[in-house]
Amino acid sequence: MGPAEPGPEETVMGVLDGKVVLVTGGGNGIGRECALIAAQEGAKVVVNDLGATLSGGDEGSAGPAETVAQEIRAAGGEAVSNSDSVTSMAAVEGMVRQALDEFGGLHAVINPAGILRDGMFHKMSEADWDKVIEVHLRGTFNVCRATIEHFRNQGDGAYVLYTSTSGIIGNIGQANYGAAKMGIAGLSRIIAMEGAAKNVRCNCLAPVAWTRMTQSVPVKDEAQAARRAQMAASIRADQPARFSVALLADAARHVTGQIFGSSGDNIILYSQPRPIQTESNPEGWTIETILSDVLPAMSDKFYSLDRLPLPPTPVAKSTVAAS
Ligand SMILES: NC(=O)c1ccc[n+]([C@@H]2O[C@H](COP(=O)([O-])OP(=O)(O)OC[C@H]3O[C@@H](n4cnc5c(N)ncnc54)[C@H](O)[C@@H]3O)[C@@H](O)[C@H]2O)c1
């Protein structure tokens, strides 16, 4: 016998009941799913999205954020939209005011707003470097800085920041994006360390999901095309979104300072860099002994430049039987 269905008068409790959540980049892809799932879990949601193109032109459209807010309201939830850019501190402060004015509080931020401007580093323009750093790293600074004092004062706050394997592992053609995403991982950890005494939590998530962002990566060969077809069906935006929402729940209040991954039905905990070998010499190292002793002693632990594949997503028994 399954769990009892709630009667008509009973309300199903969501893990975010009573909370107000700001979701940036909530008009498309993973952010959209974050906004929808947060609302299903009882949160009142400020759905922000500039309505940008993938490469993040300055002009946006109010359409995507408002469409998602309308979808939430149509399903009986509470949401307002905001179509400003996370690149402006004043605009982000406006998002916070909107949460306080419309819903009387703010308890959490999920920050997937993002763009891509890929290219080999030796051909990268200053504009493409600056814009990607501005949206991802400066944008993450803005949303955290504009909310941190409020969270500390109320002794309650949670962030889910968006990093990427392009930063924490590396990816050819994404130097600007990888640098920004690695910067976000560093920022996240320090916000977590500084926030621990005030019940302010910060985690970051490296998602993999089939969205317009992943569709933009050029296919090089048949194997990659086949992987992409599989990805579209099984590596969806709702999976990292559901994990992001779970991280905001009170039941996850002990979880902070971590780097997670979410890819299909795999949820991943990433390592964080720590010293793995130390060579000491009380006399001091010379150039010669560094070259003759230190580097050879460490070389079998050097990391290769390979980008190891993520584990395959598990296939549900029902899917196996049907295929
Ligand atoms: N999809 C993946 O596999 C993948 C992999 C690694 C990391 N990520 C990260 O996950 C996050 C979500 O990616 P996605 O695939 O859903 O992308 P997406 O392009 O589908 O959605 C990103 C949204 O951010 C919005 N946006 C862009 N610039 C903005 C700004 N300045 N202010 C407010 N909103 C802005 C866009 O309008 C868009 O709606 C991004 O941070 C991305 O870097 C995604």
Side-chain angles (χ1 to χ4, degrees):
M1 205 165 70
E5 291 288 322
E9 303 302 315
E10 285 178 67
T11 332
V12 181
M13 296 289 286
V15 299
L16 300 186
D17 277 349
K19 291 193 192 287
V20 181
V21 180
L22 167 63
V23 181
T24 71
N28 277 296
I30 301 167
R32 175 179 185 278
E33 296 295 327
C34 287
L36 296 173
I37 295 171
Q40 283 158 17
E41 289 298 330
K44 296 170 182 162
V45 184
V46 177
V47 185
N48 157 263
D49 200 293
L50 176 63
T53 59
L54 185 59
S55 61
D58 290 327
E59 291 134 40
S61 151
E66 181 51 25
T67 303
V68 173
Q70 277 173 16
E71 200 173 330
I72 291 171
R73 293 194 294 266
E78 291 185 65
V80 290
S81 67
N82 174 295
S83 56
D84 291 332
S85 174
V86 295
T87 58
S88 157
M89 179 63 95
V92 177
E93 285 166 354
M95 296 170 208
V96 177
R97 269 197 309 280
Q98 201 176 352
L100 298 176
D101 292 348
E102 299 278 348
F103 298 133
L106 182 65
H107 306 92
V109 176
I110 307 179
N111 186 43
I115 61 166
L116 281 184
R117 291 195 178 186
D118 292 352
M120 295 297 279
F121 182 63
H122 59 276
K123 295 189 174 159
M124 188 164 287
S125 69
E126 288 183 58
D128 286 352
W129 173 267
D130 286 345
K131 194 71 198 173
V132 166
I133 298 290
E134 185 189 18
V135 172
H136 288 280
L137 190 52
R138 172 72 198 204
T140 304
F141 165 78
N142 286 347
V143 300
C144 295
R145 184 64 189 88
T147 48
I148 188 83
E149 289 178 84
H150 175 70
F151 286 176
R152 288 176 71 88
N153 290 340
Q154 73 184 3
D156 180 21
Y159 298 101
V160 179
L161 308 181
Y162 272 62
T163 185
S164 169
T165 58
S166 301
I168 56 184
I169 296 176
N171 200 20
I172 286 174
Q174 295 196 307
N176 48 0
Y177 180 74
K181 290 302 201 184
M182 197 64 167
I184 290 169
L187 172 64
S188 172
R189 183 165 174 92
I190 293 174
I191 290 174
M193 292 165 92
E194 294 181 356
K198 297 279 186 186
N199 191 31
V200 176
R201 304 188 290 110
C202 189
N203 293 287
C204 56
L205 176 63
V208 182
W210 183 249
T211 65
R212 67 179 192 170
M213 199 172 267
T214 17
Q215 285 164 38
S216 75
V217 178
V219 176
K220 285 199 212 100
D221 51 39
E222 273 181 29
Q224 226 178 36
R227 269 206 304 280
R228 185 172 284 196
Q230 189 222 351
M231 201 174 159
S234 61
I235 306 190
R236 307 179 310 271
D238 64 285
Q239 293 154 322
R242 194 164 296 108
F243 185 67
S244 301
V245 168
L247 285 174
L248 303 184
D250 286 340
R253 70 172 73 79
H254 58 292
V255 182
T256 190
Q258 303 307 309
I259 304 173
F260 292 102
S262 170
S263 168
D265 288 320
N266 290 325
I267 293 172
I268 300 156
L269 175 66
Y270 279 97
S271 63
Q272 298 185 32
R274 296 287 180 277
I276 54 170
Q277 183 171 346
T278 306
E279 297 295 317
S280 308
N281 182 351
E283 315 298 319
W285 296 105
T286 63
I287 299 261
E288 287 72 24
T289 54
I290 289 168
L291 294 172
S292 62
D293 297 359
V294 177
L295 297 180
M298 292 176 166
S299 64
D300 63 345
K301 293 209 184 74
F302 284 176
Y303 292 93
S304 85
L305 293 177
D306 295 341
R307 200 182 138 83
L308 297 176
L310 292 171
T313 191
V315 180
K317 283 198 185 96
S318 55
T319 322
V320 175
S323 60

